[in-house]
Amino acid sequence: HIVALTATVKNGFELVNYQREPATTKSFTIKHQIQFQADNSLDLTITTDLVAVETIINQLNWQLLVISAVIITLLGFILWLTLFKIALMPLENEIRKRTYELNITNESLQQERDFVAVVLDTISALVMVLDPHAKIVRFNQAATQITGYRYEEVKGQDFNQLFAEAEFHKMQNIFKHLHNSRPKDSCETPLTTKDHQLKSIVWNCATLTGH
């Protein structure tokens, strides 16, 4: 950003004579004499473009401002993240604890279900579990042997329509008045098998807690 530079030795010999075109209207000039070898000297005259210097300074100021804003934002985010992490740490520990306890409970429940399933499939008595709408939700191996249906075939099916066509209203009345867990008196009814045979069975029923 030097507008003009003149270097002249003591005897008037010009070493440098630089002039930029066009000359600036706002400049700063420095004149300096350098002495060397006793009686010799070098005169320097340097004219600097202040407009260009101001532009550079303004650009640097904006760049510094942007960099400062980015640094402050980054530091603020790091601080927020640290505080947020510290605040959430107890909650995360509690969630881990509850999750572990829930996994243990689920494993225990699964073991109980597996045990019940094994017991039901090994007894010789026909066992069917129905929901409040008389939909089949459990069906043991003895039930498969007697009816000819596999559990996958009857799961979610209406018990009355599938097995008790001949005693439909009687079966509905029994389920309707089943309000507690005490087993009802045994009764004998016909049951329709998969191959449309009628088999007479003696059975009783009771409600299960939570169903």
Side-chain angles (χ1 to χ4, degrees), residues 32-96:
H32 186 64
Q33 186 180 73
I34 302 175
Q35 296 286 339
F36 61 95
Q37 294 182 354
D39 59 347
N40 291 322
S41 64
L42 178 66
D43 295 325
L44 292 176
T45 304
I46 303 174
T47 304
T48 305
D49 187 348
L50 291 182
V51 175
V53 174
E54 289 178 356
T55 301
I56 293 175
I57 293 175
N58 290 333
Q59 290 176 350
L60 288 175
N61 287 337
W62 276 108
Q63 291 173 358
L64 289 174
L65 181 62
V66 172
I67 293 173
S68 299
V70 171
I71 292 175
I72 292 173
T73 303
L74 184 59
L75 291 176
F77 175 76
I78 293 173
L79 179 61
W80 174 83
L81 186 62
T82 302
L83 295 177
F84 186 70
K85 225 18 188 171
I86 293 174
L88 282 182
M89 197 173 297
L91 180 60
E92 290 178 349
N93 291 336
E94 184 65 21
I95 291 175
R96 291 192 190 98

Side-chain angles (χ1 to χ4, degrees), residues 156-168:
Q157 297 294 322
D158 191 308
F159 172 83
N160 296 315
Q161 296 180 3
L162 192 62
F163 293 115
E165 295 179 358
E167 298 285 336
F168 181 76

